[in-house]
Structures are given as structure tokens and as C-alpha cells.
């Protein structure tokens, strides 16, 4: 298996630290809002990487954090007049709902930054004791970037060059020794959550969180560290500086980064009005379609989101689902019996398509080509499986398509989808029942909709509904 490693800028053969095992850390979202479709890309991509490792027989320890203490979370908590934990808990729960709908499996562990403060203080102290960090008068602790000779190795930047092209980012009164020194611990501000520490009451910087959570759940050395490409610098560069200085070992062997998702060829941005949450998309599409869309491009290629491309993804996925459903139907009709000679030949063809799929995935997880191999399987089965086929033939075809789709996290069973029009019809019936004072019927309709995940809200402007 080959993986493109951002550290060496090369595709490298994957050699695990421990035979048969993969230790993998993926930087998770900051939970102050519903996740957007850009955040969904690393979730879907690295969930697929995990599934493929498992398909190949590896036991994967997959850790992905939630950043649950952050300026944006605190700002929202102040706006709503609630505790920061109310905000983070709310959006963790919402994020998990979206993950489930995208068929992203829960991580082995989803650590929360606020539960790991002790480990962070320990690592910061170690960095201070070894000269890699220093405390200034207000109790802020900075990492001394110049003390780590390999700083820049991941982003292929050099501190001197960086500084030459950089206007000073020091502000007056700042006691930072160097522009690129970064915060490990910072003093609390009024109204903010804080923890006691030897340096001041305060909270950790963002980068130290991931170094500590990776160490706690995976050890000093891990196989794969992953996230979106915006995290290469400074986040992952800083994680390397912290972890390698504190642990004295190479932190991660392979660094994987997904490219960005744009909308209509523009950067996604709230102010420009081209911004979608995963929840927005779920109103129009089954999130399996979003997953299929994400995997139809290689994870290191920029991906453009548009209405047309989503329609194309919907049709593509439907072709696979229809093909699989047809095989299921046939399986209920065909006779038991041995494989015919011709069928044996076609199963050889099937095998070669599996090999094609694996070759694509072995080549730095080329999901686009893997999907193309699945399409060829569907075409082969559509053209050759009939009511005259043997049971073994039909079932072998079906099992292979299901298995390879499952590795991509794609569900091949047709879902009973309640369309917007059906929902509105039921709501109209419920309104009529209420007018007729048939409240039992009205309640029954409401319950039926709730069972299918449709929530109703009676407002002054009429009945509003949403998918849960
Ligand atoms: P954040 O909550 O901003 O820390 O982001 C969580 C994850 O989503 C990180 O791995 C980011 O790199 C990734 N991410 C954010 N925006 C995008 C985007 N537009 N396309 C792809 N990945 C993204
Ligand atoms: Zn991180």
C-alpha cells in the first residue's frame, strides 16, 4: 500500500510501527456550530482510509478529537448567556448525528480537549524544563520555536525565510522571544472557562491539545496523522515541534492531508453566501449522496461542490443501488445449482475487477478509480445475471459489490425515502383532521412522521417541518 506523505512529499510504502496495527489520529472539528460540508471531507475521506485498512486485515486504533474549548465557542456561549460546555455538548451531539447519516463510523476514541488538561500541563512543564518553552510575566507559556531544529520540516518552510518575508507580528508589550513562538498556555479572561496551573489560571493553546490526546490514546509514536491541508502550517508543524521535543521520538510516520472543498469554484465563506452545512444538504439529499460525491474525487485534489455535480453523484449512486437491488431480487428467484462454465469465466472477470479496485485503493486511496471498478462490476452483473443464472453466481456478484461498497462506506440497500411532497401531503391531512376535531388522527399522523424523522412545529405562520 502506498501513501502520499506530506513530510517527504512522496508516495511511500506503508510500513506499520507494529505489525497488523494502525495507529491513526485525525484532527476533529471545533464544536461551536453545525459542521459544514468542508469539515465533512476529512471525516469521509479518513473514515474510508480506516475502513480500507480494516479490509486489508489491520486492527485500526482511530482517534479523533473534538476541540471543545476555543475563542469561538466562548463567544457563542457569552452571546447565548450559557456555559461554554452547553455549546460544545450541543454541537458534539449534532456532529455525531451528521456523522451517522454520512455513515462515518465513530472513532475508537473521541477525546475532548477539556478532559485532558492534566496531560497538557504535564507536557508543557516538560517543555519548560527542557528549554523548549518559557513563561512570560502574565503567565503565558510560549513554545521556543528556535529550540527545535527540525521546525518547518512538514510544511517545508524555513524559519529564517519565513521571517525575512514577514512583517513583525509582535505587538507592543508582547514578551515573545520570536515571531513564530506560539502559545502553549494562556491566562484566562473575565468570564472564560479556566483551569489552575503553575503558570496562571488559564487554558491551553490549540496545538498542545492534539499532541497530548494523540500521546494519551495512541502513544508517543503513531503511524498516521491526518487532517485538512490548512492544518499543515502552523497546526501540524507545531504539533511535531511539541511532541518530538517532549517525547524524544519521531511523532507520526505518515502525514496525510485532504485538499479543500470549494463551492461553485470559490472558497466557501459565510459572508459570500456560498456556505452549506451538512444539515442543509440533508434537506435535499440522502447524505450517502454527499459521501459518494466526496469519494468520486481523489482526496488530494481540490473538489468543487455544485448542484450539477451533486445530481451526477445522486445518479451514480443510484446506478449502483439499483444494480444491487436487482441482484437481490434475482437471488430470491434463481435455482440452486452449480456454476455454468460461462459463469466461471465471468467470475474470473469479477476477480480481476476486485484486483483493479484494490490496486486503486493501494495507490494512495484512489477512491475515484475504485468507484469506477465498482461501476464495471455493476455493468457486468446487469449484463450477465438473469433468472437463468445459478444462485452461486448471483450471490457471489452481490456479495462482492456489497463488500467493496461497504469499504467505501456506501450503503447499497434502497432506502425508503420520504420526499418533501409526501410530507406536505401528510401535514395537510393532519391539518384537516384538526379542523374536524379528530385529534386522535392528527396525533397519529404527527407520530408517524416523527417515526420517520420528520419533526413538526406549529407556528403562527402555519406548520413548519424539518428532518431530524
Ligand atoms: P476546523 O473545525 O476548522 O478545525 O476544521 C475541522 C477539519 O475540517 C480540519 O481537518 C480542516 O482542515 C477541515 N476543513 C475545514 N474546511 C474545509 C474545506 N473547505 N475543505 C476541506 N476540509 C476542510
Ligand atoms: Zn489537531
Amino acid at each position: 500500500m502506498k501513501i502520499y506523505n506530506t513530510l517527504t512529499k512522496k508516495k511511500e510504502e506503508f510500513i506499520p510501527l507494529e505489525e497488523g496495527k494502525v495507529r491513526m489520529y485525525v484532527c476533529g472539528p471545533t464544536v461551536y456550530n453545525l459542521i459544514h460540508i468542508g469539515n465533512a471531507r476529512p471525516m469521509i475521506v479518513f473514515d474510508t482510509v480506516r475502513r480500507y485498512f480494516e479490509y486489508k486485515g489491520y486492527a485500526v486504533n482511530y482517534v479523533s478529537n473534538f476541540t471543545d474549548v476555543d475563542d469561538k465557542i466562548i463567544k457563542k456561549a457569552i452571546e447565548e448567556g450559557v456555559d461554554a460546555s452547553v455549546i460544545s455538548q450541543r454541537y458534539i451531539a449534532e456532529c455525531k448525528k451528521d456523522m451517522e447519516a454520512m455513515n462515518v463510523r465513530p472513532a475508537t476514541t473521541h477525546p475532548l480537549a477539556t478532559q485532558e488538561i492534566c496531560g497538557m500541563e504535564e507536557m508543557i512543564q516538560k517543555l519548560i524544563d527542557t528549554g523548549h518553552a518559557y513563561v512570560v510575566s502574565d503567565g503565558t507559556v510560549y513554545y521556543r520555536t528556535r529550540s527545535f531544529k527540525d521546525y518547518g520540516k512538514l510544511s517545508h518552510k524555513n524559519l529564517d525565510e519565513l521571517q525575512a518575508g514577514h512583517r513583525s507580528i509582535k505587538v507592543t508589550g508582547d514578551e515573545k522571544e520570536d515571531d513564530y513562538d506560539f502559545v502553549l498556555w494562556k491566562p484566562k479572561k473575565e468570564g472564560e472557562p479556566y483551569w489552575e496551573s503553575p503558570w496562571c489560571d488559564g487554558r491551553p493553546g490549540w496545538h498542545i491539545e492534539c499532541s497530548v490526546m494523540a500521546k494519551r490514546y495512541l502513544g508517543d509514536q503513531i503511524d498516521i496523522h491526518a487532517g485538512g491541508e490548512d492544518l499543515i502550517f502552523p497546526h501540524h508543524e507545531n504539533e511535531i515541534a511539541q511532541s518530538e521535543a517532549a517525547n524524544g521520538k519521531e511523532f507520526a510516520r505518515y502525514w496525510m492531508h485532504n485538499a479543500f472543498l470549494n463551492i461553485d469554484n470559490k472558497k466557501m465563506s459565510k459572508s459570500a453566501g456560498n456556505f452549506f452545512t451538512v444539515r442543509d444538504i440533508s434537506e435535499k439529499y440522502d447524505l450517502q449522496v454527499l459521501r459518494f460525491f466526496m469519494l468520486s474525487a481523489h482526496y488530494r485534489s481540490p473538489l468543487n461542490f455544485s448542484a450539477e455535480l451533486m445530481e451526477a453523484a445522486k445518479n451514480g449512486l443510484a446506478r449502483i443501488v439499483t444494480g444491487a437491488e436487482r441482484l437481490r431480487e434475482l437471488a430470491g428467484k434463481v435455482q440452486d445449482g452449480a456454476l455454468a462454465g460461462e459463469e466461471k469465466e465471468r467470475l474470473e472477470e469479477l476477480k480481476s475487477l476486485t484486483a483493479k479496485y484494490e490496486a486503486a485503493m493501494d495507490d494512495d486511496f484512489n477512491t475515484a478509480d475504485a468507484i469506477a471498478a465498482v461501476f464495471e462490476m455493476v455493468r457486468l452483473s446487469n449484463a450477465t445475471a438473469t433468472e437463468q443464472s445459478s444462485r452461486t453466481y448471483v450471490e457471489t456478484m452481490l456479495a462482492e459489490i456489497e463488500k467493496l461498497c461497504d469499504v467505501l462506506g456506501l450503503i447499497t440497500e434502497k432506502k425508503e425515502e420520504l420526499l418533501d411532497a409526501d410530507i406536505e401531503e401528510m401535514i395537510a391531512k393532519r391539518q384537516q383532521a384538526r379542523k374536524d376535531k379528530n385529534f386522535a388522527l392528527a396525533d397519529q399522523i404527527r407520530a408517524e412522521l416523527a417515526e420517520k424523522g420528520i419533526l413538526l412545529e406549529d407556528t403562527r405562520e402555519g406548520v413548519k417541518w424539518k428532518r431530524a
Side-chain angles (χ1 to χ4, degrees), residues 125-133 245-246:
Q125 189 60 54
K126 177 131 194 215
L127 291 169
I128 296 172
D129 294 346
T130 50
H132 290 292

Side-chain angles (χ1 to χ4, degrees), residues 1 51-58 358 362:
M1 265 172 100
R51 286 167 182 263
Y52 189 64
F53 272 118
E54 288 178 351
Y55 169 78
K56 294 283 254 188
Y58 287 94
E358 289 182 3
D362 284 345

Side-chain angles (χ1 to χ4, degrees), residues 16-305:
L17 288 161
E18 202 180 326
E19 212 182 308
K21 293 192 174 158
V22 180
R23 294 178 220 163
M24 187 167 174
Y25 186 94
V26 182
C27 292
T30 305
V31 277
Y32 64 98
N33 224 329
L34 291 173
I35 58 163
H36 58 68
I37 54 175
N39 301 136
R41 191 170 191 194
M43 286 178 182
I44 291 171
V45 161
F46 298 116
D47 176 65
T48 306
V49 167
R50 171 197 194 175
R51 286 167 182 263
Y52 189 64
F53 272 118
E54 288 178 351
Y55 169 78
K56 294 283 254 188
Y58 287 94
V60 184
N61 190 347
Y62 188 98
V63 177
S64 190
N65 66 298
F66 286 115
T67 295
D68 64 342
V69 55
D70 169 89
D71 288 342
K72 295 189 205 100
I73 299 173
I74 294 168
K75 183 167 170 266
K76 187 145 193 166
I78 293 169
E79 278 165 15
E80 289 193 20
V82 295
D83 206 63
S85 63
V86 173
I87 302 293
S88 58
Q89 287 302 327
R90 181 196 303 157
Y91 291 110
I92 287 170
E94 296 296 346
C95 178
K96 286 184 173 170
K97 275 192 217 160
D98 288 337
M99 283 170 64
E100 197 185 333
M102 296 188 292
N103 205 18
V104 169
R105 283 167 45 204
T108 315
T109 313
H110 279 293
L112 303 182
T114 54
Q115 304 297 310
E116 310 290 341
I117 304 292
C118 220
M120 295 179 206
E121 292 193 9
E122 252 171 55
M123 192 179 278
I124 295 170
Q125 189 60 54
K126 177 131 194 215
L127 291 169
I128 296 172
D129 294 346
T130 50
H132 290 292
Y134 56 95
V135 193
V136 300
S137 52
D138 68 354
T140 304
V141 185
Y142 288 107
Y143 187 94
R144 184 175 280 125
T145 320
R146 294 238 170 231
S147 74
F148 184 67
K149 69 173 185 358
D150 287 336
Y151 193 83
K153 70 174 172 180
L154 180 70
S155 51
H156 308 281
K157 291 179 196 286
N158 168 307
L159 265 182
D160 292 320
E161 283 167 22
L162 269 174
Q163 263 156 359
H166 198 276
R167 273 177 296 133
S168 177
I169 47 174
K170 267 189 176 175
V171 283
T172 338
D174 195 342
E175 297 165 64
K176 242 182 355 180
E177 290 174 3
D178 208 283
D179 286 346
Y180 279 92
D181 290 355
F182 57 89
V183 169
L184 297 173
W185 188 267
K186 58 183 162 195
K188 68 171 180 191
K189 289 198 201 110
E190 197 49 44
E192 288 186 355
Y194 68 92
W195 290 264
E196 287 174 359
S197 84
W199 320 292
C200 64
D201 286 352
R203 60 186 166 100
W206 170 39
H207 315 300
I208 196 75
E209 297 175 6
C210 288
S211 279
V212 168
M213 291 186 271
K215 180 183 171 81
R216 165 115 193 249
Y217 296 98
L218 298 169
D220 288 354
Q221 281 194 293
I222 68 177
D223 292 293
I224 298 173
H225 196 122
E229 66 183 2
D230 58 321
L231 301 185
I232 299 173
F233 187 84
H235 184 54
H236 288 164
E237 196 70 63
N238 291 353
E239 278 191 48
I240 292 178
Q242 296 163 155
S243 294
E244 298 195 356
N247 302 331
K249 285 184 189 143
E250 185 187 31
F251 180 32
R253 301 278 291 270
Y254 305 88
W255 287 85
M256 294 179 73
H257 294 99
N258 65 272
F260 255 45
L261 177 85
N262 296 314
I263 296 190
D264 295 326
N265 293 310
K266 282 184 232 95
K267 194 173 180 308
M268 189 162 37
S269 108
K270 256 190 188 155
S271 53
N274 62 342
F275 178 93
F276 294 113
T277 63
V278 168
R279 208 55 67 82
D280 292 334
I281 302 306
S282 76
E283 286 169 15
K284 288 206 195 104
Y285 295 97
D286 181 338
L287 291 178
Q288 279 282 300
V289 176
L290 185 67
R291 181 164 187 131
F292 184 90
F293 163 77
M294 297 273 186
L295 296 179
S296 57
H298 189 266
Y299 75 93
R300 284 190 293 113
S301 306
L303 180 56
N304 187 45
F305 182 94

Side-chain angles (χ1 to χ4, degrees), residues 287-333:
L287 291 178
Q288 279 282 300
V289 176
L290 185 67
R291 181 164 187 131
F292 184 90
F293 163 77
M294 297 273 186
L295 296 179
S296 57
H298 189 266
Y299 75 93
R300 284 190 293 113
S301 306
L303 180 56
N304 187 45
F305 182 94
S306 71
E308 296 87 79
L309 290 172
M310 277 300 277
E311 280 304 310
K314 187 177 169 183
N315 295 334
L317 181 62
R319 243 157 75 203
I320 296 175
V321 172
T322 310
E325 284 292 340
R326 183 176 165 273
L327 286 172
R328 269 178 215 115
E329 244 171 67
L330 280 179
K333 292 181 187 159

Side-chain angles (χ1 to χ4, degrees), residues 318 321-322 325 328 411-417:
V321 172
T322 310
E325 284 292 340
R328 269 178 215 115
I411 299 165
T412 58
E413 272 110 29
K414 205 173 228 137
K415 275 195 196 156
E416 249 198 75
E417 210 182 338

